[in-house]
Amino acid sequence: MSESSFNAGAIPADDIAADAEQRQRWLFAVADQLRLDGRGQAALRVLAVEIAANGRGERHRALLLGRLAQIAALEPPSVALAGLRESLNQRLDGPSRATLLAVVATIAARTGHPDADALLREAGTAHATSGDRSSARHLALGRAARALSHGDLPGAHAVLTAMDPDARAARRDATSVRAEGILVQLGLGRHQDARTATGQAFDDTTSTGTPLSGTLTALDCLRMVAVGELPEAAALAATRLGSDSVDISQETRALLVTVIAEVHHRRGDHHAARAVLRTCLTRRRWPDSTVWTPAFCVAVRDPALSEPSSLLDSIVADLHRSVRPLLPVPQFGPRLVRVAVAAGDTQAARRVTELVALVATRTPIPLWQALADQTRGLLDRDPDALRSAIAGLRTTTAWPALADALLDLANNSRLHPTEAWDAAHEAAALYARIGAPGDQATADRRCAELAATPRRRSSVDESPRTGIDALTPAEERVAEMLAAGATKKEAAGHLFVSFHTVDTQLRSIYHKLGINNRMQLVRAWDRYRSTIG
């Protein structure tokens, strides 16, 4: 097709067969070729012109709108917003205009555009006036996106669960609906639910032929990173990224890069991580920069890639527009605070801490309460806040975040060396379990430093600790589990330490408590629990 025929804005209907199905295939081929040529706005315009001139009924219009929404999702936000706004200048019927307004509002909400609320209101008015089921679905996606950008995961969940992606009329948008639902589940820490939903969504993708399977793969990789399935995440992400599919959006590509670089860093292969990340560190202006924020959250930990302060400024500015990039990977928020504190950027550290606290307020679940405690503990160097974070993270499946919190506690200057060593030792064991030898080496070095630290001698005015109070935090956790009936093997598995470690700690517990067997431990623990209420 010549460029002039595209620029003319009219479809040469006389040059193709009158058959509607053949015409539809031709239109889709034209739009796809324009997109591949880097002319996303022109691709959207071609489809919008046909939608405005639609004389082939509701089904043809619905297919055109579906393809237009898919192409918009594959383009950078700036291109999608410009192309869709231009499309709204066409003489569209009411339902088409309502749908396009909802798609525009959704992209605006995802990127934290200042006009997002106004666009959602306009889309809602258009839908109420003359919208249909398509505009209703996209409007719901827009409202869910707005809730996510503000950290309101329960609100987004309520909007999405009210939709039925299995309904026949919704099949065309089912993958988009499910992808947002999976993102919500990741943010809520429901990783097993997210895994199940991803499998169901892949089945739907196979049956409908939607080009959004790359998004599902990226979300599944993020789930693996969140729970510590690091080798599997990197392998899947590299395979999908290596396929170089034309149906991978910039957002999907950014998430896959994020996964690969995160795993490389945790494994200690920093050169490989830098090679992956350097491709995304070119200067991007908002709103396109928001797509790459997750990758920046990995890059910021490596001073060899970029000056941390300048990268932090960009990340924090975009996160204040939308916290969406922080939601699926629990360790990102604390990491930003950790880097900011190390760089002496107290303002950035405080702003990220406030954002995490805001999400925790709007999403009051143990995961986000723990992350809020962790960021506050890092900012204020408060060991009690870090202990609270660790206790909360133990109730989740976010093992990398737990390991990071343990190492944060071990690095706290206000902590007694014995407790710090216990935390570093547990962090090292957990890093080993999730396949992060680079992080494990860092924790092992901290253990070695603490082992070489002279222990503080008790002052003459300080009463020696006795009984349960004489146990270290690690010994206390072992004592609690064994007193509750767990075996040494079960305790080792739950605490992510070796059987030998538990056995050694148990002998130390018996010595400090002056007891000889498990029954005496149970009685001692019961007496202790009764005294604390």
Side-chain angles (χ1 to χ4, degrees), residues 329-348:
V329 184
Q331 57 263 33
F332 280 174
R335 173 178 299 164
L336 293 175
V337 176
R338 190 180 305 117
V339 171
V341 169
D345 192 344
T346 305
Q347 182 180 4

Side-chain angles (χ1 to χ4, degrees), residues 341-354:
V341 169
D345 192 344
T346 305
Q347 182 180 4
R350 181 170 290 107
R351 292 178 72 187
V352 176
T353 299
E354 290 169 352

Side-chain angles (χ1 to χ4, degrees), residues 155-368:
H157 180 69
V159 171
L160 293 168
T161 53
M163 304 171 69
D164 182 8
D166 292 319
R168 184 176 182 83
R171 297 290 286 175
R172 198 169 294 105
D173 304 313
T175 305
S176 296
V177 175
R178 289 198 171 113
E180 286 296 277
I182 292 165
L183 178 61
V184 170
Q185 289 169 334
L186 292 176
L188 292 172
R190 300 174 183 173
H191 297 114
Q192 185 56 49
D193 291 343
R195 181 177 185 175
T196 301
T198 301
Q200 184 179 5
F202 269 121
D203 291 341
D204 183 78
T205 299
T206 302
S207 63
T208 62
T210 176
L212 295 176
S213 60
T215 302
L216 299 176
T217 300
L219 289 171
D220 201 33
C221 290
L222 290 179
R223 176 191 62 79
M224 295 179 193
V225 166
V227 301
E229 297 173 4
L230 302 185
E232 298 89 339
L236 180 58
T239 299
R240 191 66 179 91
L241 194 60
S243 67
D244 197 27
S245 170
V246 298
D247 291 329
I248 292 182
S249 68
Q250 268 206 25
E251 181 178 17
T252 298
R253 191 175 301 276
L255 294 179
L256 294 172
V257 165
T258 299
V259 169
I260 295 170
E262 174 76 0
V263 175
H264 278 319
H265 269 308
R266 286 199 176 275
R267 294 181 65 83
D269 193 351
H270 304 300
H271 291 295
R274 290 165 192 156
V276 173
L277 288 168
R278 281 196 177 98
T279 62
C280 72
L281 289 178
T282 56
R283 181 65 62 181
R284 290 180 172 84
R285 299 180 62 183
W286 178 85
D288 295 343
S289 58
T290 61
V291 170
W292 292 93
T293 299
F296 295 161
C297 288
V298 180
V300 77
R301 66 177 285 176
D302 187 353
L305 275 173
S306 175
E307 181 65 30
S309 59
S310 62
L311 196 54
L312 271 171
D313 289 342
S314 174
I315 294 171
V316 173
D318 285 344
L319 288 177
H320 264 270
R321 295 185 177 100
S322 171
V323 297
R324 182 187 181 96
L326 286 184
L327 302 180
V329 184
Q331 57 263 33
F332 280 174
R335 173 178 299 164
L336 293 175
V337 176
R338 190 180 305 117
V339 171
V341 169
D345 192 344
T346 305
Q347 182 180 4
R350 181 170 290 107
R351 292 178 72 187
V352 176
T353 299
E354 290 169 352
L355 285 174
V356 175
L358 178 65
V359 178
T361 299
R362 294 175 173 169
T363 306
I365 60 174
L367 173 62
W368 282 99

Side-chain angles (χ1 to χ4, degrees), residues 471-485:
L471 304 182
T472 68
E475 290 169 346
E476 190 172 331
R477 288 191 292 272
V478 169
E480 181 177 19
M481 290 199 67
L482 296 181

Side-chain angles (χ1 to χ4, degrees), residues 521-533:
L521 174 62
V522 171
R523 291 170 182 164
W525 191 260
D526 286 344
R527 287 195 299 272
Y528 170 69
R529 297 301 298 175
S530 66
T531 61
I532 64 175

